[in-house]
Structures are given as structure tokens and as C-alpha cells.
Amino acid sequence: MKNITVLYLTILNLFSLCIYAQQAKVSRADKKYDNYAYIDAIKTYERIAEKGYQSPEMFQKLGNAYFFNSELDKAAKWYDQLFALTNDVDPVYYYRYAYCLRSTGDVKKADEMLKTYNEKTGNTGKGIQYSKEVNYMDKIKANSGRYKIKNAGINSKYSDYGSSFYNDKLVFTSARDTGSLGQRKHSWTNQYFTNLYQANLSSDSLIPAMPVKFSKSVRSKFHEASAIFTKDGKTMYFTRNNYLEGKKGKDGDRVTLVKIYKATFGKEDWENVTELPFNSNNYSTAHPALSPDEKTLYFVSDMPGTLGESDIFKVNINADGTYGNPQNLGSLINTPGKETFPFVSDDNELYFSSDTQPGIGGLDIFVSKINEDGTFDEVQNVGTDANSPQDDFAYIINSKNRIGFLSSNRPGGKGYDDVYQFLETKRLIPKCKAELSGTVSELATGENLPNSKITLFDEMHKEIKSTETDDKGNYMFKGLEIDKTYSIRAEKEDYSTTEKTISIGPEDCKNDLDLGFEKKLCKVAVGDDLGKCFGIKWIYFDFDKAIIRDVATLDLAKILDVMGQYPNMKIDIRSHTDSRGSYKYNEGLSDRRAKATKDWLIKNGIAPDRLLSKGYGETKLVNRCSDGVQCTEDEHQQNRRSEFIITAL
């Protein structure tokens, strides 16, 4: 992404390096390198290298020159040479090398370099950001295949990127040569300074027409880029070098940084170009984006408080037109690397690009849902084909028809960076926030229990929130995440705490989970069903089987435990069948089931003289499913059961 580096060169930390042979040629190259004249430096260093000259410092500079211009395959070539020569380098080169290797597809070697970077630095910075999720490629793969992408048809042989919607137009940034004799190139990239261009959009397919230059009134002789517009079309925010009313601002190193400017539309054209109050001559602000309600401005900066090379910030736009204090979006969004090009959709989803969030190479596009309280959901890589091993950025989307545009320097383009049009065929973030509701009741009686404490836990069993059941024993949690696993715990005085887990699928907007309590103290008498006291409704059997299921052993263990506590307790095991099969066969089957239950308890330590067993066949059905009645398998299952009647205490 050749020209985006222009907006961030002052963010990058260049190393002071020396070359010890062919001093005259190298010193001339060094001078240009120190002034960021990468094009000439590359030519000089490469010519020297082709003659067989080798030194770590030179390979560092060659790699850096390409790295800072986002030509990562060429940077990888020279970092290869560097590491072939020595491993005694600043740890940052392990990270840069890994970054380039990932772009070229050598993920295994990239991970090795990142591991070394972590070992050498001992920090949890960039390297950890990539390696903290061992399955991140699986997640990216799961998110992939959701886009149909094509060239937008507005690109030149120069750099074109950073589009936005403006009424029925697409406004984008371009470094194209318009033929003007006064057009100026920048020595950093050999590219023309960028201007804003616009192209009409058709109402149905959003295919842009041939572009023309945007308003002359916001144009300067330096860079203009990344314009956005309010929905009424009367206000625009855009990025420009520190240049206003013919005056160029510079920082302490005499470098002209970039700032965000605002303009309003007058009777015929844009006017009142002013810089925003949180700009500074000493740091950059760039790439503005608006929230759907236009009360919040998002932007990129390396201002004090930045976590990495560049972070995404937000600032409130007050009703009187003033601005609040910029706030960093935090470590969930920002990393020790570069985050850039934010965009907020009408669905309140933040799209942005990062070179350090787990990706497939270069800058990748990511998305996170913005919650009502301003927090962010999990950051997700939007997957391929939106992302490539190269730089992918400046993502915008029409939330209604899911058509949008992104910028990339992937192979097959027309210029350095190109604008691509896409159709999102399947949404990554679901339309709904999941709801989870249910009823809490006593297992033995089925009575609903009000004022029970219900606690929600995440998949790491960290408490999220708690509530109480209403007067009917009902509870509800809203705003849950799709594709997550939660645990629900119910607590009430005089009852044993109960807990269940539920996984919420991608389409599960509404979810039900009932909870049943067992009483801590249960009074029993001869003739009672011990199973009811402990919430055991029945011991299930398969159709035509008398084998204890594994799922039943937990409930049988409860019986086992109670009988251990009460050595004088005796029980009568009564087993039953459904109505399918003959009366005589079912009587024999139920006898075998009762005996199987008795044998299980004896095998696990209960004396035989404390147990009776009898089969009742189909004589004591618990529902309507008698002979000749059509019933579901679940209904028949309810009759295939064992009961535990207390005969002595």
C-alpha cells in the first residue's frame, strides 16, 4: 500500500545504520535514506548488492525501504539476506521479517520468527498478538467465501484508494496524473500527491461511472484523502497535509504531518475549510469516519496515548458543533502495530484495517460490533476474498443491499492500490443479539419458583450478570453473543444450586433453558417415590432393551448415595414399558428392566435384601399412549421408566 505510508512515515521508527564498504556510493544513498527518499536509496543499495557486497546494515535498509512502502515480497527478499548473514539484529527485524513472510504465504516460518521475537523482547506486543490464538487461521477460514469481488472500474495506473459514499456518488482518493504541468510528485514514493475524485453511482447496482476531480475548493498542492460526508451532504471531513490558507505546518523535526479538516457546503460549492481542534503539529490525525447518528467521529492518530504505531480514536461531536476529548478505543481494537481506516456501518459495526490483529498478510480488514454502551464485541477477520496476502483496507458497505468497496494492492490490479467493488453474500455478524430465557421450578412437584437468583457465566466461567426470577419463576437475559457457550446457575434458599450450559448457534436469536431445583432437605416416608424427592423422574431404557443407559447412571448414583446415608432404607424398584409389543412380552421386558436396575445397585454396594424389583409392563402408562394411539418416540419414552418406592426406613 504505497501511498498510505506517506501518511504515517513520522509514526515509523527508522534506525540509524552504517555501511562500511564502498563508502562513497553508500554515503550518497544514506543521505537520501535519511530524507525518506526510498526510491533512489533502493536503486543504489540494490546495485551494490548485485555486485556481491554484503552487510547487515545494508540489508536492513533495503528491507526497510521496501517494508515502509508495503512492497512486502521485495522486503522479504532482503530480510532473507539479512538473516542468512546474521541473527544478531534488533528484535524488531524478527517481527518485520515475520510480517513479510506472512504476506508471501510462508506462515510456518513467520510463526517461528514471531516466537523468536517474543523470546528476545519478552513482551506481549506484536508477536503475541499473532500467536495468542493458535486457531486463528481456522476462524479466518470459517469467515471466508462471503464476498463476490471485482475491480470497481475507476482505477488508474497510479494509486487509487479510500472511497466513501456521498449522495449518489462515490468519492475516493487518487494519485493519478491528470496531465497538469503543475502536478507534483513526492520523493518518498515517486507517486503524485493525491487528490479527491468522484464518480456517479447507478441506483441499482452501484457501478461507478468514469471519475472526475472533486471540488477545487478543498484541493491543495499537497495530499487530500479519505473524505467522508454527513447524510444531508452539507458537511465533509477529510485528511490533508498540515496545510491551510497557504501555510504549511511542521513538527519539531520540520516534517509536515497530516490533519483532519472540516468543510461545509455553501450555495454552490464547499467552503469554510477548518482544521479540527484536536489536531496538532506534533502528531498526525487521519481517516475520519462517522457513527450512524453522526454524533461520534472516529479517526486514526499517533497522538499521546496511542498503544501502537497508529490507533483508532473516537471523539464526541457536541450539539453546538464543539468536540469532546479524543478517546482511544482500547486494546481490544488497537494493537502494538498499526490500526487504520475505520468505517462504521448503519448497523453500528466498526470495520477497520490492522497489520497486527491475526490476519493472512499485510493489512487485513476486521469488524467488531459496537454495543449500546460503547463497548466492542469480539474482533473478527472478515476472511477471504475481502482479505488477501497483501494490503486490504478502506472497507465501506451499504447496509441495505450489502454492496460496498474496499482498497487493495493485491496482484492483478491496474495500479499501486486499486478500488474494488464487492457484494457480501452472507453476513458475518448476525442481525440479532441472542436472548436466553426460561423457567425455574421444583423438580419433584413442577412448581415454579419466584425470586430465585439466576447468574450468567461466559465460556471461561467468568460471571457476566445476574438477575432474579419474576413472580412466575421466569428469567431472561438479553444481548448475548451468537456462537458462544454460556452457563446458567440457579440458586435459592433451601434448594440445591443447579447449573446448566447452553451453546447458542449462529441463527439462535431466541433460546430457552429451563432449570429445575432439588430441595436440600426432602422429607420422605414409606410409600414415597424416592425419585421424586431427588428430581429423578425415571430411568430411561432404549426400545426393547433392558440395559442401563450411561446417561441414567448419574441418577442411579443419587439413589445409591441416599441408601448409603440411610442403612435401614429399603426400596421397591418398579419398571415399566411403553405399549408397543404384546402385553405378555412387555411384562417380561419390564421385569428384566427392574432386575437390571436392581443388579446395578447391588453391583455398586447395596445389599440384595434391601431391594425388591418388579415389572409392571404397560399397565401403568403415564400418558395417552396406549395400544392403537399414535404417539411420538418422546411420548413412548416417558413410559419406559423405573421408579423407586420406599418400603422401609
Side-chain angles (χ1 to χ4, degrees):
M1 193 176 54
K2 287 75 187 174
N3 58 349
I4 292 182
T5 305
V6 172
L7 302 181
Y8 288 101
L9 282 173
T10 55
I11 303 175
L12 302 174
N13 227 349
L14 299 178
F15 290 85
S16 177
L17 304 169
C18 297
I19 304 297
Y20 297 106
Q22 300 191 14
Q23 189 63 44
K25 290 184 179 180
V26 175
S27 62
R28 288 196 298 271
D30 284 345
K31 183 176 180 181
K32 293 178 180 179
Y33 181 90
D34 291 340
N35 290 318
Y36 310 107
Y38 294 138
I39 300 300
D40 289 341
I42 290 171
K43 291 177 181 178
T44 304
Y45 288 136
E46 284 188 318
R47 284 194 296 267
I48 296 172
E50 292 299 329
K51 293 180 180 179
Y53 177 75
Q54 295 182 340
S55 83
E57 292 82 7
M58 187 185 70
F59 289 143
Q60 286 173 1
K61 290 186 176 182
L62 276 169
N64 289 345
Y66 281 115
F67 181 85
F68 295 149
N69 274 291
S70 294
E71 297 182 59
L72 301 182
D73 55 338
K74 295 179 180 178
K77 170 187 173 182
W78 296 111
Y79 289 145
D80 278 339
Q81 297 287 337
L82 171 64
F83 281 92
L85 202 60
T86 180
N87 290 323
D88 186 19
V89 296
D90 190 289
V92 72
Y93 287 96
Y94 284 90
Y95 172 73
R96 291 179 186 170
Y97 189 32
Y99 183 74
C100 295
L101 288 169
R102 191 177 298 279
S103 176
T104 60
D106 195 346
V107 176
K108 182 178 180 180
K109 192 171 182 180
D111 289 342
E112 292 174 359
M113 291 296 108
L114 286 170
K115 181 179 179 181
T116 305
Y117 172 81
N118 293 335
E119 291 172 352
K120 285 183 172 291
T121 60
N123 67 40
T124 56
K126 293 182 179 179
I128 284 292
Q129 190 71 29
Y130 273 117
S131 58
K132 68 179 181 180
E133 293 188 72
V134 295
N135 64 335
Y136 75 90
M137 288 301 295
D138 293 334
K139 292 185 177 181
I140 293 174
K141 184 178 179 180
N143 294 344
S144 298
R146 302 180 301 107
Y147 291 94
K148 294 181 179 179
I149 296 184
K150 62 181 179 180
N151 193 292
I154 57 174
N155 297 301
S156 68
K157 64 180 181 179
Y158 299 96
S159 192
D160 303 285
Y161 68 94
S163 50
S164 63
F165 297 118
Y166 169 48
N167 295 332
D168 58 350
K169 298 177 177 62
L170 186 75
V171 176
F172 65 99
T173 306
S174 179
R176 66 188 61 200
D177 181 9
T178 60
S180 168
L181 294 177
Q183 189 79 324
R184 303 170 65 238
K185 286 187 177 181
H186 200 289
S187 63
W188 295 339
T189 60
N190 205 32
Q191 287 284 292
Y192 293 110
F193 283 97
T194 57
N195 286 318
L196 298 175
Y197 283 74
Q198 66 183 30
N200 291 329
L201 295 172
S202 60
S203 59
D204 52 354
S205 61
L206 288 179
I207 298 175
M210 291 304 296
V212 296
K213 277 191 173 182
F214 192 66
S215 170
K216 185 177 181 180
S217 62
V218 297
R219 199 181 311 153
S220 73
K221 60 182 180 179
F222 296 102
H223 285 288
E224 276 80 37
S226 308
I228 59 163
F229 304 86
T230 54
K231 294 174 182 177
D232 62 9
K234 295 181 179 180
T235 303
M236 70 177 289
Y237 298 88
F238 63 99
T239 306
R240 176 195 281 177
N241 281 106
N242 187 356
Y243 182 82
L244 185 63
E245 297 179 353
K247 296 180 180 180
K248 182 170 65 172
K250 297 182 180 181
D251 67 4
D253 296 325
R254 301 188 60 78
V255 175
T256 300
L257 305 179
V258 291
K259 294 183 176 183
I260 298 174
Y261 293 83
K262 175 183 176 182
T264 55
F265 196 83
K267 292 182 179 180
E268 298 182 356
D269 204 350
W270 294 96
E271 56 188 30
N272 299 324
V273 177
T274 57
E275 67 169 278
L276 299 189
F278 49 83
N279 287 334
S280 172
N281 290 338
N282 297 313
Y283 56 78
S284 289
T285 56
H287 309 315
L290 282 168
S291 61
D293 62 8
E294 301 181 348
K295 294 181 180 180
T296 304
L297 183 74
Y298 294 82
F299 64 95
V300 178
S301 181
D302 61 335
M303 66 172 55
T306 300
L307 304 179
E309 296 176 30
S310 61
D311 285 2
I312 300 176
F313 291 78
K314 68 177 181 179
V315 64
N316 291 333
I317 303 175
N318 301 320
D320 60 0
T322 60
Y323 298 85
N325 295 319
Q327 300 177 38
N328 191 297
L329 296 194
S331 59
L332 182 65
I333 302 298
N334 294 312
T335 69
K338 181 197 298 180
E339 277 65 51
T340 186
F341 282 100
F343 169 78
V344 183
S345 71
D346 287 340
D347 298 317
N348 225 30
E349 297 165 358
L350 172 67
Y351 293 87
F352 65 98
S353 287
S354 173
D355 66 1
T356 308
Q357 294 275 3
I360 60 177
L363 286 170
D364 270 27
I365 299 166
F366 298 85
V367 63
S368 175
K369 181 72 175 181
I370 305 175
N371 299 313
E372 291 183 5
D373 61 0
T375 59
F376 295 90
D377 286 350
E378 176 189 7
V379 173
Q380 298 191 63
N381 187 300
V382 300
T384 60
D385 302 302
N387 286 320
S388 71
Q390 280 70 44
D391 289 322
D392 305 285
F393 57 101
Y395 180 108
I396 65 172
I397 190 169
N398 183 316
S399 296
K400 294 181 179 179
N401 57 22
R402 311 309 294 177
I403 294 175
F405 297 86
L406 61 84
S407 303
S408 179
N409 65 348
R410 64 188 64 187
K414 190 173 181 179
Y416 285 81
D417 300 310
D418 287 312
V419 179
Y420 291 84
Q421 183 189 63
F422 65 80
L423 170 65
E424 186 187 48
T425 59
K426 180 182 178 182
R427 295 197 59 171
L428 179 59
I429 297 180
K431 294 181 179 180
C432 70
K433 283 283 191 179
E435 294 182 359
L436 176 60
S437 60
T439 302
V440 177
S441 60
E442 184 182 342
L443 284 172
T445 64
E447 177 187 358
N448 292 348
L449 297 175
N451 306 120
S452 303
K453 181 183 178 182
I454 311 297
T455 307
L456 177 71
F457 298 88
D458 66 13
E459 53 196 355
M460 300 303 294
H461 221 264
K462 179 182 178 181
E463 182 176 334
I464 301 173
K465 61 179 75 171
S466 64
T467 186
E468 284 194 351
T469 55
D470 62 18
D471 57 357
K472 296 182 179 179
N474 298 319
Y475 75 90
M476 175 178 285
F477 292 110
K478 295 183 178 181
L480 276 61
E481 298 300 316
I482 299 294
D483 282 334
K484 292 283 188 181
T485 298
Y486 294 93
S487 294
I488 306 294
R489 177 184 296 168
E491 300 170 88
K492 190 173 179 64
E493 189 177 359
D494 296 331
Y495 290 86
S496 298
T497 298
T498 184
E499 187 172 302
K500 287 186 178 181
T501 299
I502 183 171
S503 294
I504 297 178
E507 305 298 329
D508 298 339
C509 293
K510 294 185 180 297
N511 304 268
D512 296 314
L513 184 64
D514 293 336
L515 296 159
F517 273 129
E518 298 174 358
K519 278 192 173 181
K520 287 182 179 179
L521 297 176
C522 180
K523 295 180 181 180
V524 294
V526 172
D528 289 343
D529 183 350
L530 183 60
K532 285 185 178 180
C533 184
F534 294 94
I536 304 171
K537 293 184 178 180
W538 37 67
I539 302 299
Y540 286 126
F541 296 89
D542 289 323
F543 172 67
D544 199 26
K545 302 291 183 182
I547 300 172
I548 300 293
R549 286 182 182 178
D550 288 342
V551 72
T553 57
L554 177 61
D555 282 337
L556 284 178
K558 293 180 181 179
I559 301 295
L560 190 70
D561 180 71
V562 173
M563 295 191 75
Q565 294 179 43
Y566 296 90
N568 296 322
M569 178 184 286
K570 297 181 180 181
I571 61 172
D572 180 11
I573 303 166
R574 301 176 182 179
S575 291
H576 309 267
T577 69
D578 60 36
S579 63
R580 293 177 292 184
S582 68
Y583 183 90
K584 184 175 182 180
Y585 178 83
N586 284 337
E587 185 177 27
L589 177 62
S590 63
D591 271 333
R592 293 195 297 275
R593 287 177 171 172
K595 184 177 184 301
T597 304
K598 177 182 177 182
D599 289 346
W600 189 96
L601 291 169
I602 292 171
K603 181 181 177 181
N604 285 277
I606 301 300
D609 62 355
R610 298 176 63 191
L611 301 170
L612 297 174
S613 65
K614 180 178 175 59
Y616 289 83
E618 59 182 272
T619 61
K620 296 184 180 295
L621 302 176
V622 297
N623 54 28
R624 62 186 181 88
C625 299
S626 58
D627 290 336
V629 177
Q630 291 281 52
C631 287
T632 65
E633 179 60 32
D634 286 343
E635 289 174 317
H636 283 303
Q637 175 72 87
Q638 293 175 29
N639 292 309
R640 301 195 296 269
R641 69 195 190 278
S642 288
E643 299 170 317
F644 306 89
I645 307 303
I646 300 170
T647 59
L649 280 172

